[in-house]
């Protein structure tokens, strides 16, 4: 299911806590980093690895917005649509993104490169509007700047 | 005013332990180890330090509750789940002075008798998490963390725990649930975390900014520390200014700095010299204010007197181009998304409020919608399981209180071109 390296990362995480189940969020993250999302088999794998019920793994996996249960694009754009970003034009950017990519929120572009979701405040309000591409942070966005940034992700 | 929390953020390579300790980092920890734990707590009590996360609870009192609880082991958690919209102060400290936080944690752990600490950081801050992890590695290598810190027989282990996207985890009992690997839903209180927190053990949870103040309390001493600020709100505060201002940013200023000075002097005034319409003083969970409140002092009690709260001190500014119905809709959409679903008033109430706002913004507002919104708020007030629901109704109630005219116009269709609201409703 996952590489020996990811397994070792999970085992190291388990040793950090008084109770193995506390390593659940780290485990979800490590597996997602490797596979890109968390299919049913990944849920089963983590349950066995941490010796907890599959329902508990599913419960947490479905609760947190950063855990993706379905495959996304190669690059995930997370654009903030909370208040500070909206006051400075986030809506225009979202509209542009939707038109440019030609997909709805959460869907993958035909070439498999991008998917996007709107997210709540990412703490970039001093440079609003802001977004994340994968784990890279961009702020003071305009339509032109956003277009430039996207060409950097192939 | 001499900077405290932001003292090192503009020093090149300030995240490096050599640079930080060259500027005095970890000296306060060494000093604290020369004091009895109870005296460290007493110093914090006398400093008047109050929690910077939103509730403003006296830090020293919280520490005492955990310190006197006979159960062991005890845990110390730094709440770095900074998620209140408009807030980015903790990110600045974590990314640019991580050693200040580590030092604060060492001192706090020593004071309450905890040998294990966690920094619970929101998953959306990968840069800050990586910087903290690197800084923690450096601190271990230098002997500031581990089983025998500075050869003084003090033990403290520290690690970073990353969240995965959930505003509710900033609420301390939800944070504990999340740390334990569960869905981040709040627990019944009492028992309070100071007696039965993580894994049922006494647990102190302090905000990043609170922890960052601790080394300064020890380094300066309580008296000198509290010379800055007001009587009930000592020290400095980082105000995060965003929205329609010329210079959005984080400003470290004395507690009690007037709102007018923050917006017009530090943040440069309203964008394009526009007219101020509304201010959210402490994040969307705190009631909105208007231009009439500009002379309010930004401290815990003055804001309560003005009908709001200091909250996380996220000052979000709106100019007169803002539609206050749309503003409250955006904020309600956020609370509905982040409601954890545990209690009915919050789960259903936030959804109903959002639906009414959507109806209004799409041009189908009905006579009586304002009263209906207020009625739903009344049904939530004091009845939600945790503070999220209580926060969610503040922008609705205060929005209607101060900007009823916007609501009337929206409902009766004479305010603006409807197409403007199209994008926000997608």
């Amino acid at each position: 299911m996952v590489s020996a390296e990811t397994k070792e990362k999970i085992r190291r995480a388990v040793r950090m806590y008084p109770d193995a189940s506390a390593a659940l969020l780290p485990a979800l993250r490590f597996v997602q980093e490797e596979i890109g999302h968390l299919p049913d088999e990944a849920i089963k794998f983590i349950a066995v690895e941490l010796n907890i019920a599959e329902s508990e793994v599913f419960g947490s996996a479905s609760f947190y917005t950063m855990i993706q249960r379905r495959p996304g694009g190669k690059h995930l754009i997370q654009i903030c649509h909370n208040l500070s970003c909206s006051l400075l034009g986030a809506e225009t950017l979202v509209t542009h993104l939707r038109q440019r990519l030609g997909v709805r929120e959460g869907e993958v572009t035909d070439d498999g490169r991008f998917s996007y979701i709107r997210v709540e405040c990412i703490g970039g309000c001093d440079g609003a509007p802001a977004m994340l591409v994968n784990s890279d942070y961009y702020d003071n966005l305009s339509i032109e700047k956003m277009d430039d940034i996207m060409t950097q992700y192939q | 005013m001499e900077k405290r929390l932001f003292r090192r953020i503009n020093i090149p390579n300030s995240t490096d332990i050599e640079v930080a300790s060259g500027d005095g980092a970890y000296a306060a920890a060494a000093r604290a180890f020369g004091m009895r734990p109870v005296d460290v707590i007493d110093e914090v009590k006398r400093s008047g330090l109050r929690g910077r996360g939103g509730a403003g609870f006296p830090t020293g009192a919280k520490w005492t509750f955990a310190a006197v609880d006979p159960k062991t082991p005890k845990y110390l958690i730094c709440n770095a789940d900074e998620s209140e919209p408009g807030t980015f102060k903790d990110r600045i400290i974590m990314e640019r002075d991580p050693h200040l936080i580590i030092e604060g944690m060492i001192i706090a752990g020593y004071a309450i008798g905890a040998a294990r600490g966690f920094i619970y950081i929101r998953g959306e801050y990968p840069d800050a998490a990586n910087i903290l992890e690197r800084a923690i590695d450096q601190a271990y290598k230098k002997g500031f963390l581990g089983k025998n810190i500075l050869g003084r027989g003090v033990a403290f282990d520290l690690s970073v725990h990353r969240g995965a996207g959930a505003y509710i985890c900033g609420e301390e009992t939800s944070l504990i649930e999340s740390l334990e690997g569960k869905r981040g839903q709040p627990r019944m209180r009492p028992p309070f975390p100071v007696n039965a927190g993580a894994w049922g053990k006494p647990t102190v949870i302090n905000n990043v900014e609170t922890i960052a103040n601790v080394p300064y309390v020890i380094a300066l001493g309580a008296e000198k520390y509290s010379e800055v600020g007001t009587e009930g709100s000592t020290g400095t505060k980082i105000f995060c200014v965003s929205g329609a201002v010329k210079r959005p940013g984080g400003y470290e200023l004395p507690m009690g700095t007037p709102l007018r000075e923050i917006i017009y002097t530090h943040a440069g005034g309203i964008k394009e010299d526009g007219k101020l319409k509304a201010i959210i003083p402490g994040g969307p969970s705190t009631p909105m204010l208007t231009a009439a409140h500009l002379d309010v002092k930004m401290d815990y009690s003055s804001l309560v007197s003005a009908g709001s709260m200091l909250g996380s001190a996220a000052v979000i500014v709106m100019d007169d181009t803002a539609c206050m119905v749309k503003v409250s809709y955006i904020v309600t959409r956020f609370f509905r998304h982040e409601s954890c679903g545990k209690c009915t008033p919050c789960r259903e109430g936030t959804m109903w409020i959002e639906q009414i706002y959507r109806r209004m913004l799409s041009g189908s507002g009905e006579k009586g919608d304002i009263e209906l919104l207020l009625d739903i708020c009344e049904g939530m007030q004091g009845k939600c399981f945790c503070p999220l629901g209580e926060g969610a109704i503040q922008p609705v109630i205060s929005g209607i209180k101060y900007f009823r005219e916007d609501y009337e116009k929206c409902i009766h269709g004479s305010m603006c071109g409807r197409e403007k609201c199209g994008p926000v409703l997608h």
Side-chain angles (χ1 to χ4, degrees):
Chain A
M1 175 82 228
V2 302
S3 65
E5 195 192 343
T6 299
K7 263 189 193 167
E8 180 48 35
K9 273 188 183 169
I10 295 173
R11 285 174 191 167
R12 244 193 333 249
V14 167
R15 290 195 291 273
M16 307 265 294
Y17 301 94
D19 186 311
S21 57
L24 179 52
L25 284 190
L28 290 168
R29 178 163 63 90
F30 297 146
V31 174
Q32 181 165 295
E33 276 170 3
E34 184 177 335
I35 305 178
H37 69 290
L38 285 157
D40 290 347
E41 308 82 74
I43 301 273
K44 279 187 195 141
F45 164 78
I46 293 170
V48 171
E49 201 63 22
L50 301 182
N51 195 24
I52 55 178
E54 271 177 53
S55 58
E56 291 175 77
V57 181
F58 176 80
S60 285
S62 59
F63 185 82
Y64 297 95
T65 49
M66 291 176 71
I67 305 299
Q68 312 289 330
R69 292 277 285 124
R70 279 179 308 202
K74 189 175 164 199
H75 306 293
L76 175 66
I77 299 172
Q78 300 184 66
I79 183 155
C80 175
H81 72 155
N82 209 298
L83 186 54
S84 301
C85 286
S86 288
L87 288 169
L88 298 173
E91 287 163 22
T92 318
L93 296 175
V94 173
T95 305
H96 175 72
L97 196 58
R98 185 180 290 122
Q99 283 163 356
R100 185 187 154 127
L101 296 178
V103 291
R104 281 184 300 192
E105 188 167 357
E107 293 176 349
V108 184
T109 52
D110 288 340
D111 61 4
R113 266 171 70 207
F114 290 110
S115 51
Y116 81 93
I117 52 170
R118 289 174 298 170
V119 293
E120 299 302 347
C121 188
I122 53 174
C125 332
D126 47 347
M131 69 173 181
L132 283 162
V133 182
N134 305 325
S135 58
D136 306 326
Y137 200 92
Y138 297 99
D139 60 8
N140 292 305
L141 294 172
S142 59
I143 286 177
E144 298 72 33
K145 189 170 175 187
M146 200 163 153
D147 284 342
D148 279 351
I149 291 164
M150 285 168 68
T151 58
Q152 295 163 31
Y153 291 86
Q154 289 306 313
Chain B
M1 183 208 74
E2 204 173 315
K3 298 272 185 284
R4 293 177 182 176
L5 313 176
F6 278 179
R7 177 191 160 89
R8 282 195 283 268
I9 62 168
N10 292 317
I11 298 178
N13 302 317
S14 58
T15 61
D16 196 86
I17 197 162
E18 299 292 347
V19 175
S21 54
D23 184 66
Y26 297 105
R31 182 169 180 171
F33 291 169
M35 302 161 71
R36 292 181 305 160
V38 66
D39 294 330
V40 174
I41 296 180
D42 190 54
E43 199 72 27
V44 172
K45 274 186 183 163
R46 288 191 300 112
S47 77
L49 177 62
R50 293 170 66 176
R52 302 293 198 244
F57 194 82
T59 305
K62 192 188 257 189
W63 288 10
T64 298
F65 293 141
V68 301
D69 193 295
K71 288 193 293 295
T72 56
K74 300 182 205 294
Y75 295 107
L76 173 66
I77 301 173
C78 175
N79 185 346
D81 190 59
E82 177 167 75
S83 310
E84 182 73 11
T87 316
F88 45 87
K89 61 190 178 66
D90 299 343
R91 178 174 63 79
I92 299 174
I93 305 175
M94 290 188 287
E95 288 182 356
R96 293 156 78 177
D97 195 3
H99 292 288
L100 180 62
I101 301 162
I102 299 171
E103 184 179 19
M105 290 292 280
I106 296 167
I107 297 169
Y110 173 71
I112 66 165
R116 182 71 173 100
F118 298 93
I119 300 175
Y120 184 104
I121 185 168
R122 63 182 305 207
E124 294 91 337
Y125 280 178
D127 292 348
N130 293 337
I131 289 166
L132 279 169
E133 281 177 346
R134 179 175 165 266
I136 288 171
D137 279 348
Q138 291 179 336
Y140 268 106
K141 289 196 180 104
K142 283 272 170 189
F144 292 122
L145 287 170
K147 300 297 172 212
N148 182 17
I149 300 174
L150 300 173
R152 304 286 282 270
V154 180
F156 190 69
D157 284 306
L158 182 62
S159 63
V160 173
H161 186 92
R162 298 177 197 221
Y167 168 75
I168 185 71
C169 293
E171 188 281 321
E172 59 181 12
T173 62
S174 309
L175 184 153
I176 291 170
E177 289 282 298
S178 180
L179 176 66
E180 293 180 357
K182 300 170 199 149
R183 294 163 72 89
Q185 292 188 315
R187 291 179 180 173
M188 182 62 94
R189 299 185 301 180
F192 290 93
V194 286
N195 301 117
W199 300 285
K201 304 295 185 186
T203 303
V204 163
I205 303 170
N206 286 142
N207 177 264
V208 169
E209 191 183 350
T210 313
I211 288 290
N213 269 282
V214 170
Y216 288 100
V217 170
I218 300 303
L220 298 169
E223 283 70 31
K224 192 137 176 37
Y225 174 90
S226 55
E227 279 172 12
V228 171
T230 66
E231 199 184 329
S233 308
T234 57
T236 64
K237 182 79 196 75
I238 301 167
F239 298 98
C240 302
V241 191
S242 68
V245 291
K246 288 180 185 165
R247 288 195 301 270
Y251 298 96
E252 185 187 8
L253 300 166
M255 277 278 196
T257 300
L259 184 55
R260 184 188 302 276
E261 183 187 325
I262 294 171
I263 295 175
Y264 286 92
T265 306
H266 301 286
I270 307 301
K271 215 177 83 179
E272 290 160 11
D273 292 319
K275 193 164 168 277
L276 176 70
K277 183 168 185 179
I279 309 125
I280 290 176
S285 308
T286 63
M288 289 187 236
L289 299 173
T290 69
H293 299 102
L294 274 172
D295 291 315
V296 69
K297 286 183 173 176
M298 293 289 281
D299 60 56
Y300 296 108
S301 58
S302 301
L303 275 159
V304 170
S305 304
S308 190
M309 281 169 69
L310 182 61
S312 67
V315 180
I316 307 176
V317 178
M318 282 141 280
D319 63 15
D320 65 356
T321 64
C323 162
M324 298 310 291
V325 178
K326 193 162 144 184
V327 164
S328 288
Y329 162 68
I330 289 168
V331 171
T332 299
R333 180 179 64 190
F334 159 75
F335 284 116
R336 187 267 306 151
H337 182 259
E338 299 298 338
S339 175
C340 78
K342 180 167 179 144
C343 77
T344 311
C346 177
R347 183 187 64 237
E348 302 300 315
T350 52
M351 190 175 70
W352 292 343
I353 294 171
E354 188 194 18
Q355 284 173 350
I356 294 165
Y357 277 127
R358 288 185 68 89
R359 172 163 91 196
M360 288 171 66
L361 292 173
S362 61
S364 308
E366 292 170 15
K367 192 168 176 291
D369 273 353
I370 296 176
E371 291 69 28
L372 186 54
L373 283 170
L374 292 172
D375 188 50
I376 296 168
C377 290
E378 200 189 315
M380 293 169 68
Q381 198 155 29
K383 301 169 191 76
C384 295
F385 194 88
C386 85
L388 190 149
E390 201 69 32
I393 61 177
Q394 303 309 329
V396 184
I397 297 173
S398 59
I400 294 171
K401 179 175 170 191
Y402 295 121
F403 307 102
R404 200 179 179 105
E405 205 180 324
D406 282 14
Y407 283 70
E408 301 279 3
K409 283 180 181 168
C410 186
I411 291 170
H412 300 110
S414 61
M415 188 179 187
C416 54
R418 289 286 161 207
E419 66 278 6
K420 278 205 294 192
C421 287
V424 81
L425 295 171
H426 276 305

